[in-house]
Each structure stands twice: as C-alpha cells, then as structure tokens.
Amino acid sequence: MLCAKMQHFEWGELPMRLMPVTDAMFLWGESREMPMHIGGINLYTLPEGADETEWLNDQLTLLRQSEGLRRPFSEVLKLTPFGQYGPIRLTPDRDIDMHYHVRAAALPKPGRYREMFELASRLHSGLHVRTRPLGEITLISGLPHRQIATFKKVHHALMDGAAS
C-alpha cells in the first residue's frame, strides 16, 4: 500500500495527487449506457420577504466564486499516454469555468415537482466532460410555494453517495 506522502506529486508548479485505483475503477467502468456519476436534489423554501430573482442571483454569484473552491471540485483529471488505464492524477484546474459548473434553470410556470424531476433526469443523463472538473450544480426556480431546488451531479470516482 502506498503511504499518503507518496500519493502527492509535483509537476511544474501544479500539485497533483494520485487517484486511488478503487476510485479510478468508476472511470474505467463508465459508458454511455452505464454512467458512473451520482446526483441529488435538495428542496429549499425562500426566506420570508426575499425576492426570488434577487435571491437566485445572489446564490449564483456566491456559488460561482472559484476562490477557495475545495477539491475534488477544483481538480481535473491528468492522464498519461495510457489514458484512463494508466495512473490517473488529479491536478487543480487553474482556468475553471464556474458558469459551466454552476447553472440556473427555470421551470415554466406553473412549475410542478414533476417538471423538476424531468429536468433532473435530463441533467443526470449526460456524461461529465473529462477535461473539466467532474461536478455540476443547477439552481432550479419556478417551483410552487416559493421553493428553489438544487440538483448536484458528481462523478462517482470523486465522491460516493454517503460522502455527498
């Protein structure tokens, strides 16, 4: 077994860490027919007196800040010439596009939970782009009772269901 010190590498100025084989197996086993990511929906009620549009814009601004973004959400896969079957390292993404990873979606009025689940199903069906960090979040508005939902999707190689 590798000791923790041996799992961190330096390549140029970017610190890298080796992905454990047990996590890499989720990359190896992934296909269009069997995606290997996890997802979840959370439902929130807006605070009393809060303007929905203003509140959503504030949350998007907050979530799209890349400063202080913690791993694994700030890391991208670094492959060897053997591709995903060689050692896989994770390195910080210095040019992360937070507008790609944090999105907003509005259900057509009157939004129902059924449409929210249909949207979540569509968002969950696509594979992650492996040249970007393997996590996304979508804020969903247009629900009844002043509710907002978040849909989060993370590749299973980075996080399991219990850790999420």
Side-chain angles (χ1 to χ4, degrees):
M1 184 167 127
L2 291 174
C3 75
K5 290 182 187 175
M6 293 178 64
Q7 291 185 359
H8 295 274
F9 298 88
E10 294 286 333
W11 189 18
E13 304 224 356
L14 299 175
M16 288 197 268
R17 62 186 182 97
L18 186 63
M19 177 179 280
V21 173
T22 53
D23 294 339
M25 289 188 319
F26 291 105
L27 294 170
W28 304 334
E30 184 170 55
S31 67
R32 169 78 39 212
E33 295 77 28
M34 183 166 313
M36 293 288 181
H37 51 258
I38 58 173
I41 295 177
N42 291 82
L43 195 59
Y44 305 95
T45 302
L46 286 171
E48 284 296 320
D51 177 72
E52 181 178 349
T53 303
E54 185 179 322
W55 190 88
L56 280 169
N57 287 333
D58 289 347
Q59 296 307 307
L60 285 170
T61 300
L62 180 67
L63 289 169
R64 286 179 174 157
Q65 294 177 9
S66 61
E67 299 81 31
L69 189 63
R70 297 177 63 188
R71 70 180 204 195
F73 305 107
S74 61
E75 294 177 317
V76 68
L77 301 175
K78 186 71 173 175
L79 305 177
T80 68
F82 296 109
Q84 69 183 21
Y85 301 106
I88 299 173
R89 293 182 175 87
L90 296 163
T91 185
D93 185 347
R94 300 289 190 220
D95 298 315
I96 190 167
D97 178 3
M98 293 304 291
H99 287 268
Y100 176 86
H101 295 280
V102 179
R103 304 171 186 165
L107 300 177
K109 298 277 184 183
R112 298 178 301 172
Y113 300 115
R114 176 186 195 143
E115 284 87 16
M116 177 189 69
F117 289 123
E118 288 174 1
L119 174 60
S121 179
R122 282 195 309 276
L123 294 170
H124 194 71
S125 66
L127 297 177
H128 282 288
V129 176
R130 298 239 179 132
T131 57
R132 296 177 178 265
L134 304 176
E136 303 168 13
I137 185 170
T138 303
L139 272 66
I140 304 169
S141 62
L143 290 163
H145 314 295
R146 295 181 41 84
Q147 292 180 315
I148 302 291
T150 57
F151 174 75
K152 298 171 288 295
K153 181 170 93 170
V154 179
H155 201 283
H156 209 320
L158 301 181
M159 184 175 290
D160 64 21
S164 70

